[in-house]
Amino acid sequence: MQAYIRLTGETAQAELTALADWLSREDEFRGRSAIERPEAGPGHMGGISEVVIVALGAQGAGTVLAASLSVWIRHRRPSADIEVTGPGGQSVKISVRNVPEADLEAVLRRVLER
């Protein structure tokens, strides 16, 4: 099972790299997360739809990812918006500027706990 995290906005690429770095330092996700960069077709520069893919192997890994993401968002306060797609295909788009910190982890957990 995998979760997909996409960031959009002016700082998305830098924030995506920072998020991948953050997850690589988490014991649960070390070696289980990577940035997917689709190949650019002829005449295209590419890089627009990069995502962080996280393998959710263990039971409860979705809960751990929701907690880790909410901490990263609180500390980083990225200006990029975040779309998280859980293993069941359910997704949520979060405009970090509009979600109260108290609700953030619960929203992420609903998508990732499948």
Side-chain angles (χ1 to χ4, degrees):
M1 293 191 301
Q2 295 179 326
Y4 300 87
I5 306 164
R6 180 183 319 277
L7 282 77
T8 57
E10 289 180 24
T11 62
Q13 190 166 6
E15 297 291 357
L16 196 71
T17 301
L19 176 58
D21 185 50
W22 169 276
L23 291 172
S24 73
R25 292 190 305 259
E26 293 277 338
D27 289 340
E28 183 78 26
F29 305 113
R30 188 172 294 121
R32 301 178 70 110
S33 62
I35 295 177
E36 179 183 82
R37 291 184 169 95
E39 289 187 34
H44 293 91
M45 293 177 61
I48 294 174
S49 60
E50 295 175 342
V51 296
V52 172
I53 298 176
V54 182
L56 303 174
Q59 185 76 347
T63 301
V64 175
L65 180 57
S68 183
L69 270 174
S70 65
V71 169
W72 180 79
I73 291 167
R74 280 188 211 120
H75 288 345
R76 206 73 196 176
R77 292 312 267 174
S79 59
D81 292 335
I82 300 169
E83 179 180 0
V84 178
T85 304
Q90 187 177 10
S91 68
V92 64
K93 291 180 183 179
I94 299 170
S95 177
V96 176
R97 296 166 299 280
N98 299 329
V99 176
E101 284 187 17
D103 298 339
L104 188 57
E105 187 174 341
V107 168
L108 291 168
R109 199 177 293 147
R110 275 188 293 226
V111 170
L112 295 168
E113 287 182 342
R114 292 254 170 205

XYZ file of all heavy atoms in Angstrom:
857
model
N 0.835 -1.175 0.000
C 0.000 0.000 0.000
C 0.881 1.240 0.000
O 1.921 1.256 0.642
C -0.888 -0.002 1.239
C -1.912 -1.106 1.254
S -3.135 -0.913 2.563
C -2.121 -0.907 4.014
N 0.421 2.252 -0.710
C 1.193 3.479 -0.808
C 0.302 4.694 -0.582
O -0.890 4.665 -0.861
C 1.833 3.601 -2.191
C 2.859 2.537 -2.468
C 3.450 2.670 -3.854
O 2.784 3.072 -4.787
N 4.718 2.331 -3.979
N 0.929 5.748 -0.097
C 0.287 7.053 0.011
C 1.049 7.995 -0.899
O 2.269 7.848 -1.084
C 0.324 7.549 1.451
N 0.339 8.947 -1.467
C 0.936 9.911 -2.383
C 0.716 11.315 -1.825
O -0.408 11.667 -1.457
C 0.292 9.809 -3.770
C 0.455 8.450 -4.388
C -0.453 7.437 -4.131
C 1.544 8.174 -5.210
C -0.293 6.170 -4.686
C 1.712 6.915 -5.774
C 0.793 5.920 -5.500
O 0.948 4.673 -6.042
N 1.777 12.105 -1.795
C 1.693 13.467 -1.282
C 2.173 14.406 -2.377
O 3.315 14.323 -2.814
C 2.553 13.631 -0.016
C 2.165 12.584 1.021
C 2.421 15.050 0.536
C 3.178 12.397 2.124
N 1.281 15.277 -2.813
C 1.585 16.243 -3.872
C 1.461 17.638 -3.283
O 0.536 17.925 -2.544
C 0.600 16.073 -5.011
C 0.793 17.012 -6.169
C -0.277 16.829 -7.248
N -0.631 15.453 -7.525
C 0.044 14.633 -8.348
N 1.110 15.056 -8.978
N -0.356 13.387 -8.551
N 2.400 18.505 -3.610
C 2.349 19.899 -3.191
C 2.196 20.774 -4.420
O 2.760 20.467 -5.470
C 3.625 20.289 -2.437
C 3.682 19.817 -0.976
C 4.010 18.360 -0.876
C 4.676 20.632 -0.200
N 1.426 21.842 -4.290
C 1.245 22.780 -5.387
C 1.478 24.196 -4.884
O 1.267 24.482 -3.716
C -0.171 22.687 -5.994
O -1.134 22.922 -4.966
C -0.415 21.333 -6.620
N 1.928 25.046 -5.754
C 2.191 26.434 -5.408
C 3.602 26.826 -5.800
O 4.372 26.013 -6.313
N 3.929 28.080 -5.549
C 5.232 28.615 -5.957
C 6.412 27.880 -5.344
O 7.442 27.705 -5.976
C 5.324 30.094 -5.590
C 4.457 30.987 -6.425
C 4.596 32.440 -6.011
O 5.630 32.810 -5.432
O 3.660 33.203 -6.285
N 6.288 27.455 -4.107
C 7.412 26.818 -3.404
C 7.295 25.302 -3.357
O 8.007 24.653 -2.601
C 7.513 27.363 -1.965
O 6.308 27.020 -1.257
C 7.718 28.865 -1.950
N 6.404 24.744 -4.160
C 6.101 23.314 -4.082
C 7.326 22.422 -4.233
O 7.499 21.474 -3.476
C 5.042 22.942 -5.113
N 8.171 22.696 -5.200
C 9.304 21.809 -5.445
C 10.268 21.793 -4.257
O 10.698 20.730 -3.811
C 10.042 22.202 -6.715
C 11.061 21.157 -7.121
C 11.555 21.352 -8.537
O 11.232 22.334 -9.199
N 12.326 20.412 -9.019
N 10.581 22.959 -3.716
C 11.475 23.021 -2.555
C 10.831 22.369 -1.339
O 11.489 21.648 -0.579
C 11.842 24.472 -2.245
N 9.530 22.602 -1.154
C 8.824 22.009 -0.020
C 8.735 20.488 -0.158
O 8.851 19.763 0.823
C 7.420 22.611 0.112
C 7.395 24.077 0.399
C 7.897 24.463 1.779
O 8.243 23.583 2.593
O 7.952 25.669 2.056
N 8.549 20.011 -1.368
C 8.480 18.570 -1.607
C 9.804 17.909 -1.243
O 9.833 16.855 -0.603
C 8.122 18.303 -3.066
C 7.645 16.901 -3.387
C 6.257 16.673 -2.811
C 7.601 16.701 -4.887
N 10.908 18.546 -1.623
C 12.232 18.026 -1.275
C 12.423 18.031 0.243
O 12.930 17.061 0.809
C 13.332 18.873 -1.962
O 13.122 18.799 -3.374
C 14.714 18.364 -1.628
N 11.990 19.095 0.899
C 12.100 19.172 2.358
C 11.250 18.100 3.030
O 11.672 17.478 4.013
C 11.692 20.562 2.841
N 10.065 17.847 2.501
C 9.200 16.809 3.061
C 9.817 15.429 2.889
O 9.821 14.619 3.822
C 7.820 16.857 2.416
C 6.838 15.761 2.845
C 6.610 15.775 4.344
C 5.528 15.901 2.076
N 10.350 15.146 1.718
C 10.996 13.844 1.485
C 12.174 13.657 2.438
O 12.371 12.563 2.978
C 11.450 13.734 0.039
N 12.929 14.715 2.669
C 14.046 14.662 3.606
C 13.544 14.389 5.027
O 14.098 13.569 5.747
C 14.835 15.973 3.544
C 16.076 15.935 4.406
O 16.855 14.959 4.282
O 16.266 16.874 5.221
N 12.482 15.079 5.423
C 11.877 14.893 6.750
C 11.456 13.429 6.946
O 11.763 12.806 7.960
C 10.674 15.826 6.879
C 9.783 15.597 8.052
C 8.761 14.691 8.142
C 9.813 16.283 9.304
N 8.153 14.793 9.365
C 8.776 15.751 10.095
C 10.604 17.303 9.811
C 8.515 16.206 11.382
C 10.340 17.756 11.103
C 9.314 17.210 11.874
N 10.745 12.885 5.960
C 10.263 11.510 6.077
C 11.403 10.503 6.083
O 11.311 9.460 6.738
C 9.281 11.200 4.944
C 7.944 11.931 5.020
C 7.147 11.695 3.748
C 7.157 11.521 6.254
N 12.489 10.801 5.385
C 13.619 9.872 5.354
C 14.314 9.772 6.714
O 15.044 8.824 6.969
C 14.630 10.273 4.275
O 15.349 11.426 4.668
N 14.069 10.743 7.592
C 14.653 10.707 8.930
C 13.727 10.052 9.953
O 14.120 9.838 11.089
C 15.030 12.123 9.380
C 16.184 12.694 8.575
C 16.704 13.983 9.167
N 15.670 14.985 9.346
C 15.458 16.017 8.537
N 16.204 16.171 7.471
N 14.497 16.877 8.784
N 12.510 9.740 9.547
C 11.558 9.058 10.424
C 11.834 7.555 10.362
O 11.907 6.981 9.276
C 10.115 9.320 9.967
C 9.656 10.736 10.117
C 9.179 11.032 11.522
O 8.815 10.095 12.263
O 9.183 12.218 11.888
N 11.981 6.912 11.512
C 12.271 5.472 11.541
C 11.271 4.662 10.719
O 11.652 3.758 9.986
C 12.280 4.952 12.983
C 13.488 5.430 13.768
O 14.495 5.826 13.146
O 13.430 5.407 15.012
N 10.010 4.989 10.838
C 8.947 4.243 10.158
C 9.037 4.332 8.635
O 8.619 3.421 7.924
C 7.583 4.771 10.617
C 6.408 4.045 10.041
C 6.141 2.718 10.715
O 6.502 2.557 11.897
O 5.575 1.838 10.053
N 9.607 5.431 8.127
C 9.590 5.662 6.681
C 10.964 5.713 6.039
O 11.070 5.933 4.841
C 8.815 6.948 6.371
C 7.434 6.925 6.951
C 7.072 7.781 7.974
C 6.497 6.008 6.500
C 5.816 7.728 8.527
C 5.234 5.943 7.051
C 4.889 6.811 8.069
N 12.006 5.493 6.814
C 13.365 5.493 6.260
C 13.472 4.393 5.204
O 13.172 3.232 5.455
C 14.382 5.254 7.371
C 15.814 5.435 6.904
C 16.808 5.385 8.056
N 16.603 6.522 8.937
C 16.299 6.417 10.239
N 16.174 5.238 10.792
N 16.128 7.486 10.969
N 13.837 4.796 4.006
C 13.950 3.847 2.901
C 12.617 3.466 2.285
O 12.557 2.643 1.384
N 11.531 4.071 2.761
C 10.192 3.733 2.270
C 9.497 4.926 1.620
O 8.308 4.877 1.350
C 9.344 3.211 3.420
C 9.941 1.979 4.083
C 9.079 1.560 5.235
N 7.835 1.023 4.713
C 7.496 -0.259 4.768
N 8.300 -1.108 5.320
N 6.359 -0.654 4.277
N 10.246 6.017 1.435
C 9.657 7.193 0.792
C 10.612 7.720 -0.268
O 11.827 7.616 -0.130
C 9.353 8.279 1.822
O 10.535 8.710 2.460
N 10.033 8.255 -1.333
C 10.846 8.779 -2.436
C 10.033 9.779 -3.229
O 8.805 9.745 -3.230
C 11.285 7.642 -3.348
N 10.747 10.667 -3.896
C 10.085 11.599 -4.801
C 9.977 10.925 -6.161
O 10.954 10.403 -6.673
C 10.878 12.911 -4.931
C 10.906 13.644 -3.594
C 10.269 13.795 -6.014
C 11.737 14.913 -3.613
N 8.771 10.917 -6.704
C 8.559 10.375 -8.045
C 8.535 11.549 -9.012
O 7.745 12.475 -8.864
C 7.241 9.621 -8.129
C 6.974 9.073 -9.515
C 5.630 8.390 -9.589
O 4.622 9.095 -9.763
O 5.603 7.158 -9.445
N 9.423 11.500 -9.963
C 9.494 12.539 -10.992
C 9.158 11.890 -12.328
O 9.961 11.154 -12.875
C 10.896 13.145 -11.030
C 11.211 13.950 -9.803
C 12.579 14.623 -9.924
N 12.765 15.581 -8.871
C 13.381 15.337 -7.730
N 13.876 14.144 -7.490
N 13.513 16.284 -6.820
N 7.976 12.162 -12.837
C 7.602 11.561 -14.119
C 8.511 12.047 -15.238
O 8.986 13.184 -15.204
C 6.165 12.020 -14.340
C 5.922 13.101 -13.363
C 6.970 13.038 -12.308
N 8.748 11.173 -16.185
C 9.584 11.551 -17.328
C 8.861 12.595 -18.175
O 7.662 12.494 -18.405
C 9.890 10.325 -18.190
C 10.846 9.364 -17.517
C 11.254 8.248 -18.447
O 11.365 8.500 -19.665
O 11.456 7.138 -17.958
N 9.617 13.570 -18.596
C 9.047 14.620 -19.449
C 8.972 14.117 -20.883
O 9.901 13.509 -21.391
C 9.912 15.875 -19.379
N 7.852 14.388 -21.499
C 7.687 14.019 -22.897
C 8.411 15.009 -23.787
O 8.882 16.052 -23.333
N 8.503 14.711 -25.067
C 9.162 15.632 -25.999
C 8.511 17.015 -25.960
O 7.297 17.137 -25.981
C 8.953 14.971 -27.365
C 8.628 13.545 -27.071
C 7.971 13.523 -25.721
N 9.336 18.033 -25.826
C 8.842 19.405 -25.806
C 8.331 19.873 -24.455
O 7.826 20.974 -24.339
N 8.441 19.043 -23.422
C 7.988 19.417 -22.082
C 9.175 19.468 -21.130
O 10.099 18.668 -21.234
C 6.959 18.417 -21.560
C 5.680 18.455 -22.316
N 5.442 17.654 -23.408
C 4.581 19.219 -22.168
C 4.248 17.908 -23.885
N 3.697 18.858 -23.147
N 9.107 20.388 -20.170
C 10.198 20.512 -19.205
C 10.062 19.522 -18.052
O 11.020 19.170 -17.415
C 10.259 21.946 -18.674
C 10.659 22.932 -19.760
S 10.659 24.619 -19.203
C 11.875 24.567 -17.912
N 8.851 19.082 -17.714
C 8.645 18.100 -16.662
C 8.690 18.730 -15.280
O 8.847 19.921 -15.107
N 8.547 17.870 -14.265
C 8.655 18.302 -12.889
C 7.391 18.891 -12.294
O 7.346 19.179 -11.118
N 6.344 19.075 -13.087
C 5.152 19.732 -12.588
C 4.391 18.847 -11.608
O 3.896 19.313 -10.606
C 4.229 20.137 -13.753
C 4.921 21.211 -14.575
C 2.890 20.636 -13.244
C 4.190 21.593 -15.821
N 4.310 17.567 -11.865
C 3.483 16.709 -11.033
C 4.312 15.760 -10.165
O 3.969 14.607 -10.016
C 2.500 15.933 -11.903
O 3.211 15.130 -12.834
N 5.376 16.256 -9.596
C 6.182 15.425 -8.714
C 5.408 15.138 -7.434
O 4.655 15.982 -6.948
C 7.492 16.130 -8.373
C 8.376 16.334 -9.578
C 9.612 17.148 -9.258
O 9.640 17.833 -8.235
O 10.549 17.077 -10.053
N 5.578 13.942 -6.912
C 4.911 13.544 -5.671
C 5.904 12.802 -4.789
O 6.883 12.227 -5.272
C 3.685 12.634 -5.927
C 2.608 13.353 -6.706
C 4.071 11.347 -6.605
N 5.629 12.817 -3.491
C 6.354 11.945 -2.570
C 5.488 10.701 -2.418
O 4.291 10.795 -2.131
C 6.577 12.602 -1.189
C 7.163 11.601 -0.209
C 7.486 13.812 -1.306
N 6.090 9.553 -2.656
C 5.399 8.280 -2.485
C 5.927 7.652 -1.198
O 7.139 7.568 -0.987
C 5.656 7.334 -3.666
C 5.110 7.951 -4.944
C 5.021 5.972 -3.408
C 5.410 7.137 -6.178
N 4.998 7.224 -0.349
C 5.372 6.607 0.919
C 4.765 5.210 0.966
O 3.550 5.050 0.800
C 4.864 7.430 2.121
C 5.303 6.794 3.427
C 5.344 8.876 2.036
N 5.608 4.202 1.157
C 5.129 2.828 1.297
C 4.640 2.633 2.724
O 5.371 2.878 3.682
C 6.244 1.842 0.982
N 3.390 2.211 2.853
C 2.783 1.990 4.165
C 2.689 0.498 4.400
O 1.669 -0.121 4.150
C 1.390 2.631 4.222
C 1.314 4.124 3.935
C -0.135 4.582 3.893
C 2.084 4.900 4.977
N 3.762 -0.086 4.867
C 3.808 -1.531 5.022
C 3.200 -2.038 6.311
O 2.432 -2.986 6.316
N 3.495 -1.417 7.418
C 3.076 -1.933 8.716
C 1.678 -1.449 9.085
O 1.236 -0.393 8.643
C 4.065 -1.494 9.790
N 1.006 -2.246 9.912
C -0.296 -1.850 10.442
C -0.119 -0.561 11.234
O 0.799 -0.439 12.023
C -0.830 -2.969 11.349
C -2.205 -2.738 11.861
C -3.262 -2.996 10.803
O -2.990 -3.116 9.623
N -4.501 -3.067 11.238
N -0.960 0.399 11.004
C -0.868 1.666 11.723
C 0.072 2.673 11.105
O 0.244 3.770 11.622
N 0.684 2.340 9.967
C 1.626 3.259 9.329
C 0.923 4.526 8.834
O 1.514 5.603 8.824
C 2.355 2.582 8.179
N -0.347 4.419 8.461
C -1.098 5.595 8.034
C -1.258 6.593 9.166
O -1.144 7.810 8.967
N -1.494 6.092 10.368
C -1.613 6.953 11.541
C -0.294 7.646 11.831
O -0.256 8.834 12.132
C -2.052 6.125 12.772
O -3.303 5.504 12.477
C -2.183 6.989 14.007
N 0.797 6.904 11.712
C 2.128 7.468 11.945
C 2.429 8.537 10.895
O 2.952 9.607 11.216
C 3.214 6.362 11.936
C 4.608 6.958 12.044
C 2.969 5.370 13.066
N 2.067 8.276 9.632
C 2.299 9.255 8.580
C 1.460 10.510 8.815
O 1.950 11.628 8.640
C 1.998 8.657 7.200
C 2.206 9.588 6.006
C 3.637 10.130 5.956
C 1.863 8.861 4.707
N 0.209 10.347 9.220
C -0.653 11.508 9.507
C -0.036 12.369 10.611
O 0.010 13.596 10.501
C -2.049 11.048 9.910
N 0.464 11.728 11.660
C 1.093 12.469 12.760
C 2.359 13.175 12.286
O 2.586 14.353 12.594
C 1.405 11.524 13.916
N 3.186 12.476 11.522
C 4.433 13.053 11.039
C 4.177 14.236 10.102
O 4.825 15.284 10.208
C 5.270 11.989 10.332
O 6.501 12.522 9.927
N 3.221 14.071 9.186
C 2.881 15.153 8.255
C 2.350 16.376 8.995
O 2.696 17.509 8.673
C 1.816 14.688 7.264
C 2.291 14.058 5.983
C 1.100 13.538 5.190
C 3.092 15.019 5.157
N 1.501 16.148 9.989
C 0.941 17.288 10.715
C 2.024 18.037 11.483
O 2.003 19.268 11.535
C -0.211 16.866 11.633
O 0.244 16.027 12.660
N 2.989 17.324 12.038
C 4.109 17.981 12.729
C 4.941 18.765 11.722
O 5.318 19.917 11.973
C 4.983 16.956 13.488
C 6.276 17.590 13.979
C 4.207 16.362 14.652
N 5.242 18.158 10.571
C 6.027 18.853 9.539
C 5.329 20.139 9.098
O 5.943 21.183 8.987
C 6.249 17.926 8.341
C 7.051 18.548 7.246
C 8.411 18.696 7.205
C 6.554 19.127 6.035
N 8.776 19.323 6.038
C 7.671 19.600 5.302
C 5.290 19.291 5.496
C 7.545 20.223 4.065
C 5.149 19.909 4.264
C 6.275 20.361 3.563
N 4.020 20.044 8.875
C 3.260 21.207 8.431
C 3.270 22.296 9.500
O 3.472 23.472 9.205
C 1.819 20.811 8.053
C 1.830 19.952 6.772
C 0.931 22.041 7.876
C 0.520 19.256 6.477
N 3.059 21.909 10.763
C 3.058 22.905 11.841
C 4.396 23.624 11.966
O 4.440 24.823 12.194
C 2.722 22.238 13.169
C 1.263 22.013 13.357
C 0.972 21.536 14.772
N -0.179 20.673 14.716
C -0.186 19.406 15.081
N 0.883 18.844 15.571
N -1.277 18.700 14.980
N 5.485 22.874 11.853
C 6.817 23.476 12.002
C 7.242 24.256 10.767
O 7.899 25.275 10.874
C 7.860 22.409 12.310
C 7.754 21.851 13.688
N 7.034 22.435 14.690
C 8.294 20.750 14.237
C 7.123 21.720 15.795
N 7.885 20.682 15.549
N 6.891 23.768 9.627
C 7.352 24.349 8.366
C 6.430 25.462 7.871
O 6.886 26.394 7.251
C 7.363 23.207 7.371
C 8.220 23.201 6.237
C 9.562 23.003 6.219
N 9.913 23.495 4.884
C 11.099 23.574 4.449
N 12.082 23.202 5.189
N 11.341 24.042 3.263
N 5.129 25.292 8.098
C 4.114 26.208 7.579
C 4.376 26.539 6.106
O 4.587 27.693 5.729
C 4.024 27.483 8.408
C 3.487 27.294 9.806
C 2.246 26.498 9.886
N 1.016 27.289 9.850
C -0.165 26.726 9.792
N -0.285 25.416 9.750
N -1.240 27.459 9.769
N 4.403 25.508 5.261
C 4.709 25.748 3.843
C 3.633 26.608 3.192
O 2.470 26.570 3.586
C 4.711 24.338 3.253
C 3.818 23.550 4.143
C 4.004 24.127 5.519
N 4.049 27.382 2.226
C 3.069 28.193 1.497
C 2.403 27.355 0.401
O 1.438 27.794 -0.203
C 3.732 29.424 0.903
O 4.758 29.061 0.024
N 2.915 26.174 0.147
C 2.332 25.283 -0.852
C 1.105 24.586 -0.276
O 1.027 24.334 0.927
C 3.365 24.239 -1.276
N 0.136 24.287 -1.131
C -1.010 23.482 -0.725
C -0.626 22.013 -0.857
O 0.259 21.658 -1.634
C -2.224 23.797 -1.596
C -2.750 25.205 -1.343
O -2.524 25.743 -0.246
O -3.381 25.763 -2.247
N -1.312 21.159 -0.107
C -0.942 19.749 -0.041
C -2.139 18.886 -0.422
O -3.249 19.119 0.050
C -0.470 19.389 1.380
C 0.747 20.238 1.754
C -0.159 17.904 1.501
C 1.126 20.152 3.208
N -1.885 17.896 -1.264
C -2.900 16.893 -1.579
C -2.340 15.544 -1.161
O -1.248 15.158 -1.579
C -3.228 16.877 -3.068
C -4.261 15.832 -3.422
C -4.602 15.798 -4.898
O -4.041 16.596 -5.667
O -5.414 14.943 -5.272
N -3.085 14.845 -0.315
C -2.662 13.532 0.171
C -3.674 12.510 -0.319
O -4.881 12.676 -0.131
C -2.580 13.504 1.722
C -2.179 12.128 2.208
C -1.613 14.555 2.225
N -3.167 11.455 -0.955
C -4.017 10.358 -1.425
C -3.600 9.102 -0.672
O -2.446 8.708 -0.696
C -3.864 10.144 -2.945
O -4.163 11.378 -3.607
C -4.793 9.051 -3.439
N -4.551 8.511 0.015
C -4.283 7.322 0.810
C -4.312 6.064 -0.021
O -4.629 6.084 -1.220
N -3.998 4.934 0.610
C -3.929 3.665 -0.114
C -5.260 3.234 -0.719
O -5.286 2.508 -1.705
C -3.451 2.664 0.942
C -3.521 3.347 2.240
C -3.635 4.814 2.004
N -6.375 3.692 -0.177
C -7.680 3.332 -0.725
C -8.134 4.239 -1.845
O -9.229 4.080 -2.375
N -7.302 5.219 -2.220
C -7.648 6.137 -3.292
C -8.353 7.398 -2.819
O -8.578 8.325 -3.582
N -8.737 7.432 -1.552
C -9.371 8.624 -1.003
C -8.322 9.726 -0.868
O -7.175 9.456 -0.507
C -9.964 8.294 0.366
C -10.786 9.393 0.965
C -11.412 8.973 2.282
O -11.084 7.932 2.841
N -12.307 9.795 2.791
N -8.698 10.967 -1.167
C -7.715 12.044 -1.078
C -8.317 13.265 -0.415
O -9.543 13.417 -0.324
C -7.146 12.394 -2.450
O -8.124 12.984 -3.254
N -7.421 14.124 0.046
C -7.815 15.386 0.654
C -6.836 16.450 0.182
O -5.647 16.191 0.061
C -7.850 15.295 2.197
C -6.479 15.036 2.783
C -8.437 16.556 2.812
N -7.379 17.619 -0.146
C -6.542 18.763 -0.499
C -6.600 19.725 0.669
O -7.681 20.079 1.137
C -7.041 19.435 -1.771
C -6.853 18.584 -2.994
C -7.365 19.292 -4.233
C -7.232 18.357 -5.435
N -7.733 18.964 -6.652
N -5.427 20.131 1.123
C -5.343 20.994 2.291
C -4.668 22.300 1.906
O -3.547 22.298 1.408
C -4.537 20.312 3.417
C -5.220 19.009 3.839
C -4.362 21.251 4.603
C -4.383 18.158 4.762
N -5.376 23.386 2.150
C -4.765 24.695 2.045
C -4.278 25.019 3.452
O -5.083 25.306 4.337
C -5.780 25.733 1.564
O -5.176 27.003 1.551
N -2.991 24.896 3.677
C -2.421 24.991 5.017
C -2.837 26.291 5.704
O -3.027 26.325 6.912
C -0.884 24.858 4.948
C -0.265 25.044 6.293
C -0.520 23.503 4.396
N -3.024 27.327 4.943
C -3.400 28.611 5.542
C -4.803 28.579 6.125
O -5.154 29.394 6.961
C -3.299 29.715 4.484
C -1.876 29.926 3.990
C -1.827 30.758 2.713
N -2.522 30.173 1.569
C -2.025 29.212 0.790
N -0.849 28.702 1.043
N -2.703 28.752 -0.233
N -5.655 27.642 5.688
C -7.058 27.637 6.089
C -7.457 26.520 7.047
O -8.602 26.460 7.452
C -7.947 27.550 4.839
C -7.737 28.727 3.922
O -7.431 29.828 4.378
N -7.885 28.507 2.633
N -6.557 25.614 7.388
C -6.899 24.498 8.266
C -6.375 24.778 9.673
O -5.176 24.995 9.855
C -6.291 23.172 7.743
C -6.563 22.036 8.704
C -6.851 22.840 6.385
N -7.261 24.774 10.670
C -6.787 24.965 12.046
C -5.849 23.822 12.441
O -6.087 22.667 12.088
C -8.069 24.914 12.875
C -9.184 25.147 11.913
C -8.700 24.667 10.578
N -4.791 24.154 13.163
C -3.802 23.136 13.554
C -4.451 21.971 14.284
O -4.060 20.828 14.112
C -2.716 23.760 14.425
C -1.726 24.578 13.644
C -0.559 25.050 14.494
O -0.331 24.497 15.592
O 0.133 25.974 14.050
N -5.452 22.246 15.104
C -6.102 21.194 15.878
C -6.794 20.162 14.983
O -6.924 19.000 15.352
C -7.112 21.804 16.840
N -7.233 20.564 13.785
C -7.955 19.663 12.876
C -7.048 18.946 11.892
O -7.456 17.975 11.265
C -8.992 20.446 12.074
C -10.053 21.074 12.962
O -10.233 20.600 14.102
O -10.690 22.044 12.514
N -5.834 19.406 11.739
C -4.943 18.933 10.694
C -4.690 17.429 10.755
O -4.897 16.709 9.788
C -3.623 19.706 10.755
C -2.640 19.491 9.639
C -3.259 19.818 8.294
C -1.417 20.357 9.870
N -4.255 16.925 11.894
C -3.932 15.500 12.003
C -5.168 14.638 11.801
O -5.108 13.593 11.147
C -3.271 15.193 13.343
C -2.772 13.768 13.420
C -1.981 13.470 14.678
O -1.488 14.407 15.341
O -1.849 12.278 15.004
N -6.303 15.055 12.324
C -7.536 14.275 12.166
C -7.941 14.166 10.700
O -8.351 13.097 10.242
C -8.658 14.905 12.990
N -7.812 15.249 9.958
C -8.141 15.237 8.529
C -7.215 14.275 7.784
O -7.659 13.453 6.982
C -8.042 16.661 7.932
C -8.098 16.633 6.414
C -9.135 17.549 8.496
N -5.924 14.352 8.073
C -4.958 13.462 7.425
C -5.202 12.002 7.806
O -5.110 11.109 6.971
C -3.533 13.877 7.790
C -3.062 15.205 7.203
C -1.765 15.648 7.857
C -2.906 15.099 5.704
N -5.515 11.762 9.057
C -5.728 10.393 9.532
C -6.907 9.736 8.813
O -6.860 8.562 8.478
C -5.963 10.393 11.041
C -5.726 9.030 11.645
C -5.881 9.007 13.130
N -4.832 9.776 13.754
C -4.979 10.472 14.868
N -6.150 10.501 15.486
N -3.972 11.127 15.385
N -7.963 10.507 8.555
C -9.136 9.941 7.851
C -8.766 9.400 6.480
O -9.306 8.410 6.013
C -10.233 10.983 7.716
C -11.131 11.071 8.911
C -12.277 11.970 8.610
N -11.730 13.318 8.456
C -12.240 14.401 9.009
N -13.328 14.324 9.698
N -11.678 15.573 8.835
N -7.846 10.048 5.805
C -7.437 9.630 4.458
C -6.434 8.480 4.519
O -6.483 7.563 3.705
C -6.828 10.817 3.691
C -6.191 10.360 2.395
C -7.884 11.865 3.424
N -5.537 8.514 5.489
C -4.422 7.567 5.508
C -4.684 6.276 6.281
O -3.940 5.314 6.117
C -3.173 8.265 6.060
C -2.650 9.389 5.176
C -1.606 10.203 5.912
C -2.095 8.824 3.885
N -5.695 6.227 7.110
C -5.965 5.031 7.896
C -6.885 4.088 7.145
O -8.026 3.887 7.498
C -6.615 5.391 9.240
C -5.662 6.006 10.208
C -6.345 6.298 11.540
O -7.581 6.338 11.605
O -5.621 6.483 12.513
N -6.409 3.479 6.112
C -7.198 2.538 5.336
C -6.496 1.222 5.253
O -5.369 1.072 5.171
C -7.442 3.083 3.933
C -8.339 4.281 3.955
C -9.682 3.924 3.452
N -10.575 5.039 3.722
C -11.853 4.903 3.851
N -12.395 3.732 3.773
N -12.624 5.918 4.062
